[in-house]
Amino acid sequence: MWQNIPALDKITPAMLTSKRVVYGLRILYDLASSKEGFQSAHTLASTYQVPEAFLRRILMDLRRAGFVEAQKGRVGGYKLARRPEDIKVKAVVQTLEPEAMELVFGRVRGRGANLQPVNKSCPTWPFWERLESVFLAELERATLADLLRQEKRR
């Protein structure tokens, strides 16, 4: 796709998002895929090799938003509170990162990035604004069920 747009063939699109969003979607994906019922925060943290306290904060936000339910006790943990079809990706992103999202383009090299947001004074702004609209519309449309179906097609 990028090869057909002049001057963009040298640009790598990069979506910068937080670890909270990445792990939040991964948690929901794994809970939806699981046949085990409740999964503990400890098990999830071990699976992802991240600190349990970090994951618990994400799970707490997901529970408050109604995406997961929690159960205490030895067989407790977390499971989906809604059907995957009823969980919008955009709602999850907004829950875990309430600040406005911004699409940024540039070249990502190694650990660093050479990224620059485009502002309205740039003559190419209409192109970037249209691209951002498509991106945000896809976030609004996509559900957790869509993510599960995509993986099955791989």
Side-chain angles (χ1 to χ4, degrees), residues 17-78:
T17 188
S18 71
K19 287 182 182 180
R20 287 175 48 79
V21 169
V22 171
Y23 284 111
L25 284 171
R26 177 77 188 269
I27 288 167
L28 293 174
Y29 181 95
D30 287 345
L31 292 178
S33 301
S34 175
K35 307 288 185 231
E36 296 178 21
F38 289 92
Q39 291 192 37
S40 73
H42 178 76
T43 300
L44 292 167
S46 295
T47 300
Y48 308 142
Q49 299 179 347
V50 296
E52 187 175 336
F54 169 70
L55 227 57
R56 282 188 183 280
R57 287 190 295 276
I58 295 170
L59 285 160
M60 191 180 337
D61 288 342
L62 293 173
R63 185 181 57 76
R64 277 194 213 114
F67 297 122
V68 299
E69 62 181 73
Q71 177 174 303
K72 292 182 180 184
R74 198 170 72 79
V75 293
Y78 297 87

Side-chain angles (χ1 to χ4, degrees), residues 15 18 62 64 70 72 80 89 104 134 138 140 146 151:
M15 181 181 166
S18 71
L62 293 173
R64 277 194 213 114
K72 292 182 180 184
L80 283 187
V89 173
V104 179
V134 171
E138 183 62 18
E140 180 66 41
D146 294 324
E151 178 60 25

Side-chain angles (χ1 to χ4, degrees), residues 75-131:
V75 293
Y78 297 87
K79 72 175 186 174
L80 283 187
R82 301 182 196 173
R83 298 175 329 147
E85 297 81 10
D86 298 330
I87 298 177
K88 295 279 191 179
V89 173
K90 184 177 181 181
V92 175
V93 172
Q94 288 173 326
T95 295
L96 298 174
E97 289 299 329
E99 294 180 20
M101 293 175 281
E102 184 176 13
L103 191 63
V104 179
F105 279 81
R107 187 175 296 276
V108 178
R109 293 185 185 109
R111 292 187 190 177
N114 183 17
L115 301 173
Q116 177 67 42
V118 181
N119 63 41
K120 291 181 182 182
S121 66
C122 178
T124 64
W125 170 254
F127 170 79
W128 299 111
E129 184 179 40
R130 192 171 60 252
L131 191 59

